Amino acid sequence: MAVSPISKTVPGWVYLSVVTNVVFGTTLGLWFLGDRYFTETLLYPPAARTSTVAKAVETPKIVAQAASMPLGRSLTYQDWVDLLEKEAKAMIKRKPDRLIVMAGDSLTLWFPQDLLPSDRTWLNQGISGETASGLAKRLKLFDQTQPEAIFVMVGINDLLKGNSEQEILDAQADIIAQLQKSHPKSKIVLQSLLPRAKEEITTANATQVEALSNARIYQFNRRLAALADQTKVEFLDLQPLFADKEGFLRSDLTTDGLHLSTQGYLVWRSAIQTFNQLALR
């Protein structure tokens, strides 16, 4: 029998708290990222990732290896996997207290390190263009970490590529099963997909983004919430925080109609902070 997903979603009053925190944080000007342009085909300047690696794991060897790559060369998927594996190994060696892993696609990858809540250590395992099945194949990279929680957001690229909802959900179920086996003491948090903007979509795959309706994203999120409930993991519903009154991604929260601006990451940060306060006491 299907189980209602409502019990695993964040209560409605939490959203008011999140929005209040975002307004307060924005007013203080926590951090300025500027207008960064994102694409799913990433031309990657190694120096940008180098700073993130240095802050996250403080490993000169990894920094040196990233910096040695030709400037402006487009990293392959395997390049990213190799880099994330080294970051995970460095984190395993450190054994930090209060570790949280973030896994997913470019939205996770580009989460500014300076905006992540400072009361915890973060291991970012995002790759641009990632799919649910791709993520399922590389979870072993951080198998030996001992995180308090693992936040997963993946699936939008699957929808953009035309994969069926059931195919994506099957891969999500595989992700959950692997994480529950490897990290039995960790909170596993499935995060909803975000809506796409109504206008001014300037991603490299703008045609595919415009063809994906927010109604389908919403429907997928409902099924994802049900999966979280059935597998006894947490579900963090971000869609209401990012959607305008028509259900589209708010224009002030995006840089290109799909990826997030500084303000967008502040909203996400506040949602994570609120979740941590409620679930990771």
Side-chain angles (χ1 to χ4, degrees), residues 15-263:
Y15 295 118
L16 178 60
S17 172
V18 170
V19 171
T20 301
N21 288 339
V22 169
V23 172
F24 180 68
T26 305
T27 303
L28 288 178
L30 290 175
W31 191 72
F32 180 75
L33 178 63
D35 291 328
R36 182 183 292 178
Y37 183 77
F38 304 92
T39 65
E40 290 300 339
T41 303
L42 181 65
L43 260 187
Y44 174 74
R49 181 69 180 183
T50 296
S51 64
T52 301
V53 176
K55 293 176 183 176
V57 296
E58 303 172 353
T59 50
K61 289 183 179 179
I62 298 176
V63 172
Q65 182 178 25
S68 68
M69 296 179 181
L71 185 61
R73 179 172 80 80
S74 181
L75 267 67
T76 66
Y77 184 85
Q78 189 57 49
D79 287 334
W80 277 113
V81 171
D82 292 344
L83 180 60
L84 295 186
E85 181 178 21
K86 289 177 171 58
E87 291 186 17
K89 285 182 176 179
M91 197 66 76
I92 293 167
K93 186 176 181 181
R94 281 182 57 194
K95 297 181 180 179
D97 293 329
R98 312 189 84 185
L99 173 67
I100 294 181
V101 175
M102 299 185 74
D105 53 34
S106 58
L107 289 171
T108 295
L109 167 67
W110 288 110
F111 204 122
Q113 185 73 23
D114 292 8
L115 286 187
L116 289 167
S118 59
D119 60 342
R120 278 163 171 89
T121 300
W122 298 83
L123 175 62
N124 190 324
Q125 294 280 287
I127 293 181
S128 184
E130 185 62 284
T131 62
S133 60
L135 177 59
K137 293 175 183 177
R138 62 181 178 87
L139 296 174
K140 62 182 180 181
L141 297 183
F142 57 89
D143 261 2
Q144 301 306 310
T145 61
Q146 298 178 359
E148 282 186 313
I150 303 168
F151 285 80
V152 176
M153 182 194 282
V154 71
I156 192 67
N157 291 309
D158 301 79
L159 290 176
L160 290 172
K161 291 177 179 179
N163 296 348
S164 71
E165 291 182 12
Q166 190 57 54
E167 181 181 0
I168 306 168
L169 290 167
D170 288 344
Q172 296 270 13
D174 184 18
I175 290 170
I176 293 169
Q178 289 189 59
L179 292 178
Q180 287 177 325
K181 181 178 180 180
S182 300
H183 307 277
K185 297 182 179 180
S186 302
K187 289 278 187 182
I188 299 168
V189 187
L190 288 189
Q191 300 170 101
S192 69
L193 303 186
L194 304 184
R196 57 94 165 168
K198 183 177 183 179
E199 299 173 339
E200 298 183 358
I201 296 174
T202 58
T203 61
N205 56 346
T207 301
Q208 289 90 338
V209 175
E210 290 170 353
L212 178 60
S213 71
N214 280 322
R216 189 178 181 204
I217 295 174
Y218 181 83
Q219 171 61 27
F220 177 80
N221 283 337
R222 295 307 88 209
R223 295 187 67 182
L224 190 63
L227 175 64
D229 193 71
Q230 291 161 9
T231 54
K232 295 180 171 33
V233 301
E234 305 292 337
F235 181 71
L236 181 56
D237 193 1
L238 298 171
Q239 185 165 345
L241 299 176
F242 285 84
D244 63 18
K245 61 184 179 181
E246 296 182 75
F248 291 99
L249 179 60
R250 286 167 44 190
S251 60
D252 60 319
L253 302 183
T254 182
T255 57
D256 59 9
L258 185 67
H259 298 91
L260 299 180
S261 64
T262 306
Q263 290 74 23

Side-chain angles (χ1 to χ4, degrees), residues 3-14:
V3 182
S4 169
I6 300 301
S7 63
K8 283 292 182 179
T9 59
V10 175
W13 64 264
V14 172

